[in-house]
Amino acid sequence: MSIDPKTALDALYEQYSKRANAIRHDLGLQRSADFAEQAGERQNDEVLNALLAEAEAGMRQVGLARLRLADGSYGLCQRCGEPIEAGRLQALPAAEFCLACADKVRG
């Protein structure tokens, strides 16, 4: 079964966007006046900020994948130029690298 890359990227972007908006909302909530509770809230804010950064990074990756789709290079490894495995693109629509190159980039 083949999935349309544009549809997959749009859905992924929507997921990241909803997550980022929910986190921004949580970060904007009023904080407790109690000093002890403020310490816990600051710690929670650190976690939320890390999650927000992750969601925003995902949105950027999807944006780059959309650019590759527009210029015809979507589905080609950005390192070796070979096609990215269909299963990998299905699981990770914004994938930049084939599996072999992704292992090299990470490792």
Side-chain angles (χ1 to χ4, degrees):
M1 175 174 83
S2 180
I3 294 177
D4 174 47
K6 182 184 181 322
T7 301
L9 290 170
D10 289 348
L12 186 57
Y13 188 88
E14 182 68 21
Q15 289 174 7
Y16 283 129
S17 180
K18 283 182 180 179
R19 186 178 310 157
N21 288 335
I23 293 168
R24 285 186 196 103
H25 175 265
D26 288 349
L27 284 168
L29 295 176
Q30 189 167 359
R31 301 298 178 213
S32 173
D34 181 272
F35 182 74
E37 285 186 33
Q38 286 178 2
E41 289 172 348
R42 274 194 297 272
Q43 193 172 27
N44 289 341
D45 285 353
E46 289 175 16
V47 171
L48 288 174
N49 279 312
L51 292 172
L52 178 59
E54 187 178 287
E56 289 173 338
M59 291 167 66
R60 282 189 298 278
Q61 288 176 330
V62 170
L64 292 171
R66 285 174 166 170
L67 290 174
R68 291 191 301 276
L69 188 60
D71 74 14
S73 64
Y74 179 82
L76 298 177
C77 178
Q78 299 297 293
R79 187 168 187 263
C80 72
E82 293 297 315
I84 298 172
E85 300 81 359
R88 181 167 172 75
L89 285 174
Q90 195 167 11
L92 301 168
E96 297 176 71
F97 306 109
C98 68
L99 191 54
C101 288
D103 286 341
K104 290 174 186 172
V105 170
R106 274 185 261 144

